[in-house]
């Protein structure tokens, strides 16, 4: 199984409509691949909140309207913030039937107020047990941060280092939400509190954007990137059902299975994209993925091991924190970055000699976890 092409739009506060964004990403991915749109056998569409935000559901049929001459099987996939990677996971399974598949993820979020957004995004949590108690996303991850700090001695300064690195990386990514913004340690430290201990710079922003990926059963060109691992696990939705809060069991299971499929260990990874919806989740992800031991992620960021020139570069595009988080597109934007890096086409943010990459995409607070592994030996 191979990635033939990747495409995306800029992420941020954009004027384009949801179909316009999807169209741009789809055709960018097709034009990046050696095949044409007529060679596509099926399409998977990833979107979380088209209904509440844009009053538009039935996105598979919307995408059909963007392919005027073609009538294809098109399916929409939704697993909250992991929708993009879940669509890829489904598409990989469907390669048993189709030679080439297009996956497109899109979200239009910035027409709503922050308050409406918080309510919409909160739908990824348990309605009865958590949402109605005020446990919207920042509050959920604030609990995770509090417990990580208490258990391992992680400090807010460690979270600031994650935000500083990711904002720095986004300055090297022209398509990132915060590409235009120079962010200092002092700005991060003194930002307003959102849900203690998390402040503004611990949160991913509310973004518009789209991303797309073309995959195939067979290799078509030298630029293609092999998919060597693909795993998805689902956990109970309510936080009250979790055995612990400083680790996501579904992510540990998904990464273990993906490593087995790819026949690698975390030590083989050259570039990693993790779901840093809140800075604390970058630390939790490093531990769940086995990049470091539980409690050691803070030491890794203090020692700058996750910077572009570090031992395991993480979120070279800026991550969700600074590249942005247009939900349905996020998992596919991670694939865009890993593919671009493995092809050696990442320019100013290129990780020298990168051959193996991993994406880690989370829905809710670990209700869904999807891990993919990619390899290109140039
Ligand atoms: N990080 C850094 N800066 C941010 C930011 C973020 N996450 N969100 C907004 N900003 C900046 C804006 O660019 C703007 O800067 P400017 O004045 O230089 O133009 C300023 O802060 C105000 O923006 P605004 O949109 O009014 O912020 P807000 O206070 O309404 O919203 C949050 C901030 C953090 C509440 C909102 O971004 C949020 O809810 N994020 C989390 C989204 C989420 O839960 N996603 C799902 C996760 S799984």
């Amino acid at each position: 199984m191979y990635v033939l092409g990747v495409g995306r739009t800029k992420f941020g506060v954009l004027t384009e409509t949801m179909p316009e964004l999807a169209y741009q990403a789809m055709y960018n991915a097709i034009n990046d691949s050696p095949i044409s749109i007529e060679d596509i056998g099926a399409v998977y569409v990833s979107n979380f909140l088209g209904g509440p935000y844009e009053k538009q559901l039935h996105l598979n049929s919307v995408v059909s309207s963007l392919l005027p001459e073609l009538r294809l099987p098109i399916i929409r996939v939704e697993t909250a913030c992991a929708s993009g990677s879940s669509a890829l996971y489904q598409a990989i399974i469907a390669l048993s039937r189709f030679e080439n598949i297009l996956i497109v993820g899109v979200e239009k979020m910035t027409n709503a107020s922050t308050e409406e957004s918080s309510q919409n995004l909160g739908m990824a949590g348990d309605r009865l047990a958590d949402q109605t108690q005020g446990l919207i996303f920042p509050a959920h991850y604030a609990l995770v941060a509090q417990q990580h700090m208490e258990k391992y001695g992680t400090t807010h300064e460690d979270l600031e280092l994650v935000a500083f690195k990711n904002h720095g990386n986004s300055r090297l990514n022209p398509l990132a939400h915060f590409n235009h913004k120079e962010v200092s340690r002092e700005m991060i430290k003194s930002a307003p509190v959102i849900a203690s201990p998390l402040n503004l710079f611990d949160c991913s922003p509310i973004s518009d954007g789209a991303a797309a990926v073309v995959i195939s059963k067979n290799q078509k060109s030298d630029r293609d990137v092999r998919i060597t691992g693909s795993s998805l696990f689902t956990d109970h939705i309510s936080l009250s059902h979790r055995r612990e809060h400083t680790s996501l069991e579904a992510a540990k299971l998904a990464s273990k299975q993906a490593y087995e499929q790819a026949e690698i260990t975390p030590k083989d990874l050259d570039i990693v994209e993790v779901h840093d919806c809140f800075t604390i989740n970058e630390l939790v992800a490093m531990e769940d993925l086995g990049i470091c031991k539980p409690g050691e992620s803070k030491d890794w960021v203090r020692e700058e091991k996750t910077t572009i020139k570090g031992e395991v570069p993480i979120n070279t595009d800026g991550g969700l924190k600074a590249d942005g988080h247009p939900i349905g597109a996020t998992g596919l934007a991670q694939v865009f970055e890993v593919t671009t890096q493995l092809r050696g086409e990442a320019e100013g943010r290129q990780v020298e000699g990168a051959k193996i990459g991993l994406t880690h995409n989370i829905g809710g607070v670990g209700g869904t976890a999807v891990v993919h592994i990619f390899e290109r030996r140039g």
Side-chain angles (χ1 to χ4, degrees):
M1 300 163 308
Y2 292 84
V3 175
L4 303 189
V6 288
R8 59 173 279 189
T9 65
K10 182 163 170 53
F11 287 178
V13 182
L14 307 175
T15 53
E16 288 93 337
T17 63
M18 191 161 58
E20 285 168 348
L21 291 169
Y23 182 90
Q24 277 182 29
M26 280 163 54
Y27 282 93
N28 285 346
I30 290 288
N31 292 337
D32 182 59
S33 80
I35 64 170
S36 64
I37 191 78
E38 288 76 23
D39 301 317
I40 295 291
V43 183
Y44 282 75
V45 185
S46 151
N47 174 258
F48 177 32
L49 290 166
Y53 273 115
E54 293 291 292
K55 306 289 174 278
Q56 179 67 70
L57 289 171
H58 206 185
L59 279 222
N60 53 326
S61 189
V62 171
V63 167
S64 182
S65 309
L66 306 176
L67 306 167
E69 305 305 325
L70 296 175
R71 296 293 175 273
L72 295 174
I74 307 181
I75 313 270
R76 173 178 174 236
V77 176
E78 185 272 301
T79 59
C81 303
S83 298
S85 296
S86 300
L88 174 62
Y89 176 85
Q90 287 291 104
I92 288 170
I93 294 169
L95 285 179
S96 60
R97 180 177 290 211
F98 304 101
E99 172 70 16
N100 305 311
I101 299 179
L102 170 67
I103 308 110
V104 57
V106 62
E107 210 76 52
K108 181 79 195 173
M109 304 170 77
T110 64
N111 285 337
S113 66
T114 302
E115 190 183 344
E116 284 170 284
S117 257
S118 300
Q119 295 300 326
N120 290 345
L121 292 163
M123 285 193 258
D126 189 314
R127 177 76 190 156
L128 298 178
D130 297 344
Q131 272 184 52
T132 48
Q133 305 304 313
L135 268 179
I136 56 172
F137 263 118
H140 260 141
Y141 278 99
L143 290 177
V144 175
Q146 282 169 12
Q147 298 214 3
H148 207 275
M149 287 174 172
E150 192 164 317
K151 194 165 169 185
Y152 298 122
T154 307
T155 64
H156 192 262
E157 265 188 29
D158 299 322
L159 304 185
E160 291 164 22
L161 288 171
V162 173
F164 186 66
K165 167 182 70 72
N166 290 351
H167 272 278
N169 290 351
S170 78
R171 299 280 288 158
L172 304 170
N173 174 8
L175 299 175
H177 187 131
F178 286 119
N179 173 255
H180 62 285
K181 195 162 184 167
E182 187 74 53
V183 169
S184 67
R185 283 293 301 279
E186 188 47 39
M187 281 163 73
I188 296 173
K189 195 182 180 63
S190 59
V193 171
I194 300 292
S196 180
L198 305 180
N199 76 22
L200 180 69
F201 279 92
D202 291 308
C203 306
S204 54
I206 292 164
S207 319
D208 304 322
V213 175
V214 178
I215 62 170
S216 180
K217 214 182 291 189
N218 295 297
Q219 185 170 10
K220 306 271 194 272
S221 93
D222 287 350
R223 283 175 80 238
D224 299 350
V225 168
R226 197 153 78 91
I227 306 167
T228 55
S230 174
S231 180
L232 181 155
F233 276 82
T234 310
D235 202 346
H236 296 186
I237 191 161
S238 176
L239 281 198
S240 58
H241 290 193
R242 299 291 163 77
R243 290 194 193 95
E244 57 174 334
H245 296 297
T246 53
S247 167
L248 303 178
E249 193 175 359
K252 286 200 283 194
L253 291 168
S255 61
K256 182 171 182 292
Q257 188 176 67
Y259 290 135
E260 282 165 10
Q261 291 168 351
E263 298 180 348
I264 64 160
T265 73
K267 288 195 171 16
D268 297 311
L269 297 171
D270 299 313
I271 150 113
V272 177
E273 284 282 297
V274 305
H275 194 93
D276 59 326
C277 51
F278 296 89
T279 48
I280 182 63
N281 212 37
E282 181 157 323
L283 300 188
V284 170
M286 289 164 65
E287 296 169 9
D288 287 345
L289 293 170
I291 291 170
C292 61
K293 295 202 179 94
E296 287 184 358
S297 56
K298 62 177 186 323
D299 306 315
W300 275 56
V301 297
R302 287 175 196 173
E303 291 162 26
E304 300 186 359
K305 288 184 177 173
T306 59
T307 60
I308 289 173
K309 293 201 181 311
E311 202 170 314
V312 182
I314 295 183
N315 289 339
T316 49
D317 56 358
L320 283 59
K321 171 76 240 3
D323 184 19
H325 187 20
I327 311 288
T330 296
L332 299 173
Q334 293 178 323
V335 179
F336 177 99
E337 180 64 9
V338 168
T339 301
T340 305
Q341 289 280 357
L342 298 187
R343 286 170 168 175
E345 297 172 358
E347 299 184 345
R349 61 183 194 281
Q350 181 65 45
V351 173
E352 285 311 313
K355 293 189 168 45
I356 297 181
L358 178 148
T359 59
H360 158 278
N361 191 198
I362 300 294
V365 187
T368 305
V370 193
V371 173
H372 284 99
I373 298 176
F374 305 85
E375 183 174 330
R376 181 167 179 272
R377 302 215 172 261

